[in-house]
Amino acid sequence: MSPSTSPRFFTEREVARHSTPDSCWVLLGTRVYDVTAFLRMHPGGEALIRSRSGKDVSREMEGPPHRHSENARRWMEQYYIGELDRDSGAEEAQTLRERRQTSDQTDGKTAEKTKLDEDEDENSPYSRCSSVDLDKDLVDWRKPLAWQVGHLGEKYDAWVHQPVDRPIRLFGNPFMEASTKTSWYWVPVVWLPVVFYLSWYCFTTLAKGTTRIDLTSDVSIPVHKYMFVPLFLLGWFLWSFIEYCIHRFVFHMKPPAHNYYLIMLHFLLHGQHHKSPFDGSRLVFPPGIASIMVGSFYMILCKTLPEILGVSVFVGGLCGYVVYDMIHYYLHYGSPKRGSYMYGLKAYHVKHHFEHQRAGFGITTTFWDHPFDTVIPDEKF
């Protein structure tokens, strides 16, 4: 809702009626919010919001047990739809709404038409989720963002960590834009057959009993076929460390304010995900781009270890990567059971996005955050 537009007014009875998964409203004081689109995203689970639908959630926002961050409050404003009219009856409120709506339609007819022509029609995803001020934001959301963010300079870091619930267009070229988007199911479709084939190949090769590790020119030891399991698990463990390092040191590097290209690179790699954390088309790596990283690790392991041992470690790491991407998608869109391991991970990851962007780099596990002292402070949800 534009700041210049008069707010709509609702009675308490009207607000209370919106308490279903298809239409869920809450109050912050006298402000009314339609949080239907946020139900699946909420780290505390859908049921936690629905149990408070139609009610004032000011106390829950302030805590205890958890005081919501400024980013969370800013995010909430994207769902603002109007004000609570405590004094008027239902009939009077309806009359007031109709009068205001008629006035708005008359006064804002030209501006509304221009906005629809320039930016979005009623079927566009932009019209359902964003409250970005198109005239005051630091970038022009009507144009691809990839070429704009580099000009933000020292303002980039603060801007990129103020999340919005709005799809991002990176490139104007349709092919380039499509190459940056991937549905979640393509990750297991592409990589799991590789995992299964290489696992079968490694195990059957080791089962021949011909694989040996040379300790000296005269001494070698055989590698039993069941060594595939610990080698596979070693690869998975190594991946968890690589996952942490990439997330912390590459994805969360702070590009120099004067370097246009490093800012743009950071935005393409990870900044766009923090700016729009619930853009479902960019929550997993496109297989084409991921294959560069996967191929590099394969060559490094096969050059470092005897071939079959290197492949055994590699396939464990590749499986870990697939699980990582699937968990990451689930942490954004899943609704884990309260008290479960995934519930804790989801709460942890959402805090990373909204409040602690310089900590909480583990996705599938928080293990590596402990030795590197990047653990997010424990809070109840």
Side-chain angles (χ1 to χ4, degrees):
M1 181 176 294
S2 171
S4 61
T5 304
S6 299
R8 297 177 62 189
F9 284 83
F10 305 94
T11 65
E12 292 181 336
R13 180 177 297 179
E14 286 176 302
V15 174
R17 283 204 300 264
H18 293 268
S19 58
T20 69
D22 297 323
S23 183
C24 183
W25 295 5
V26 295
L27 294 164
L28 269 179
T30 61
R31 296 172 69 83
V32 184
Y33 299 83
D34 181 354
V35 294
T36 310
F38 186 64
L39 289 178
R40 290 185 59 198
M41 306 175 193
H42 185 242
E46 177 179 332
L48 203 59
I49 296 184
R50 286 188 57 196
S51 66
R52 295 166 172 79
S53 58
K55 303 175 183 176
D56 190 345
V57 296
S58 300
R59 189 182 66 81
E60 284 76 10
M61 291 291 287
E62 289 295 331
H66 173 64
R67 188 179 189 279
H68 289 67
S69 67
E70 288 305 313
N71 269 337
R73 296 167 188 274
R74 186 182 296 110
W75 183 280
M76 183 78 166
E77 289 307 310
Q78 297 178 113
Y79 306 113
Y80 171 72
I81 57 173
E83 298 287 331
L84 182 66
D85 187 356
R86 295 186 184 277
D87 299 325
S88 301
E91 184 176 349
E92 182 182 351
Q94 178 67 24
T95 303
L96 178 61
R97 283 201 306 277
E98 290 175 354
R99 185 166 63 248
R100 289 183 178 275
Q101 289 169 0
T102 301
S103 176
D104 291 342
Q105 289 171 0
T106 302
D107 296 339
K109 185 176 181 181
T110 302
E112 181 179 3
K113 183 178 184 303
T114 301
K115 182 180 180 182
L116 288 173
D117 289 342
E118 290 182 346
D119 185 49
E120 55 202 58
D121 59 38
E122 63 182 1
N123 294 319
S124 167
Y126 292 93
S127 65
R128 296 196 302 270
C129 62
S130 177
S131 64
V132 172
D133 191 323
L134 298 178
D135 298 318
K136 296 182 180 180
D137 200 79
L138 297 179
V139 298
D140 187 348
W141 286 83
R142 303 177 184 90
K143 300 177 181 179
L145 298 189
W147 316 120
Q148 300 185 61
V149 293
H151 296 296
L152 294 180
E154 61 184 14
K155 297 179 181 178
Y156 170 75
D157 189 66
W159 175 84
V160 82
H161 289 121
Q162 294 176 2
V164 297
D165 188 5
R166 178 186 180 102
I168 286 177
R169 184 172 184 88
L170 293 175
F171 300 104
N173 182 280
F175 177 78
M176 292 180 65
E177 177 69 7
S179 69
T180 67
K181 296 183 176 182
T182 306
S183 297
W184 67 267
Y185 52 78
W186 281 112
V187 173
V189 165
V190 170
W191 295 117
L192 283 185
V194 179
V195 171
F196 293 143
Y197 170 76
L198 290 180
S199 296
W200 171 83
Y201 168 75
C202 292
F203 185 80
T204 55
T205 301
L206 291 173
K208 295 177 181 177
T210 58
T211 303
R212 306 182 70 87
I213 298 178
D214 295 327
L215 300 179
T216 66
S217 56
D218 299 323
V219 180
S220 64
I221 58 175
V223 180
H224 195 275
K225 63 182 179 181
Y226 292 119
M227 276 299 295
F228 171 72
V229 175
L231 290 170
F232 182 95
L233 294 177
L234 173 63
W236 196 319
F237 181 74
L238 288 176
W239 162 255
S240 70
F241 177 67
I242 294 168
E243 165 199 317
Y244 174 88
C245 291
I246 291 176
H247 192 189
R248 179 179 180 181
F249 299 111
V250 179
F251 291 170
H252 278 274
M253 68 172 180
K254 189 174 183 180
H258 63 275
N259 195 310
Y260 172 91
Y261 294 102
L262 278 181
I263 292 176
M264 181 177 67
L265 178 62
H266 177 269
F267 188 70
L268 294 176
L269 285 175
H270 198 60
Q272 48 84 16
H273 174 54
H274 269 261
K275 189 62 180 176
S276 181
F278 294 103
D279 184 348
S281 64
R282 291 195 174 100
L283 288 179
V284 298
F285 276 98
I289 299 176
S291 63
I292 300 174
M293 180 183 66
V294 170
S296 299
F297 288 141
Y298 177 84
M299 290 188 292
I300 292 172
L301 286 171
C302 287
K303 291 291 185 182
T304 305
L305 301 171
E307 181 183 3
I308 194 62
L309 303 186
V311 175
S312 298
V313 174
F314 166 77
V315 71
L318 181 59
C319 186
Y321 158 70
V322 174
V323 172
Y324 151 80
D325 248 354
M326 295 298 93
I327 286 181
H328 184 232
Y329 185 90
Y330 184 77
L331 296 185
H332 282 264
Y333 275 103
S335 297
K337 183 178 179 181
R338 189 176 182 86
S340 66
Y341 176 72
M342 295 301 293
Y343 181 91
L345 275 186
K346 181 179 176 75
Y348 192 78
H349 189 60
V350 171
K351 283 195 286 184
H352 165 74
H353 271 281
F354 283 86
E355 192 171 3
H356 299 277
Q357 293 91 355
R358 301 300 178 188
F361 300 109
I363 305 296
T364 56
T365 175
T366 62
F367 175 82
W368 294 106
D369 281 315
H370 292 273
F372 290 99
D373 196 27
T374 54
V375 179
I376 294 176
D378 185 31
E379 296 177 2
K380 295 182 180 180
F381 277 79

